[in-house]
Amino acid sequence: MAVFLPALKIALPYITQAVAAAIPAFTSRPVNGKADDVVPEQIAELQAAVTQNAETVQGLAVQMKEIIKDADAGMAAMQQQITMLRRLVILCLGAVAVGIVVIIWLLAQ
């Protein structure tokens, strides 16, 4: 869960930009004019919004890739620590077993 907090902090500015670009203020149709005059303008606005959204998504993808790479590196380091700790626990259990055997042997004499 903690991995997603930095990702969310990084993504929020881009999300607001994407939302602002996705809801553009289109050129309104004139009351007395023809719709054919406004359509090319609206198409240009849509193309600009799509271009901006594509750039934003590409930036987010690069950042998400870096976050995933860092998370994978962190998981690998934690896996190594867990393996080392398991070995240490096994070593400690062996030392305890040897101690118990020595105590039983001393009590038996």
Side-chain angles (χ1 to χ4, degrees):
M1 182 69 180
V3 175
F4 294 107
L5 292 177
L8 188 60
K9 288 180 183 178
I10 291 171
L12 279 178
Y14 293 103
I15 291 171
T16 57
Q17 288 177 359
V19 169
I23 307 172
F26 293 117
T27 305
S28 60
R29 183 179 297 176
V31 178
N32 296 334
K34 290 184 177 180
D36 295 339
D37 298 337
V38 179
V39 170
E41 235 177 285
Q42 289 177 338
I43 290 173
E45 290 173 358
L46 281 172
Q47 287 174 339
V50 167
T51 302
Q52 185 178 4
N53 285 344
E55 292 170 357
T56 303
V57 168
Q58 185 178 12
L60 284 172
V62 168
Q63 289 180 353
M64 190 60 82
K65 182 178 178 181
E66 291 175 11
I67 289 170
I68 290 172
K69 184 177 76 173
D70 293 342
D72 285 343
M75 285 191 308
M78 288 181 72
Q79 187 65 34
Q80 288 177 346
Q81 289 178 350
I82 289 171
T83 303
M84 183 188 67
L85 290 174
R86 283 182 181 167
R87 290 177 182 163
L88 185 60
V89 165
I90 291 171
L91 180 67
C92 290
L93 288 174
V96 167
V98 169
I100 290 173
V101 169
V102 168
I103 290 172
I104 292 173
W105 181 71
L106 288 174
L107 289 175
Q109 288 184 352

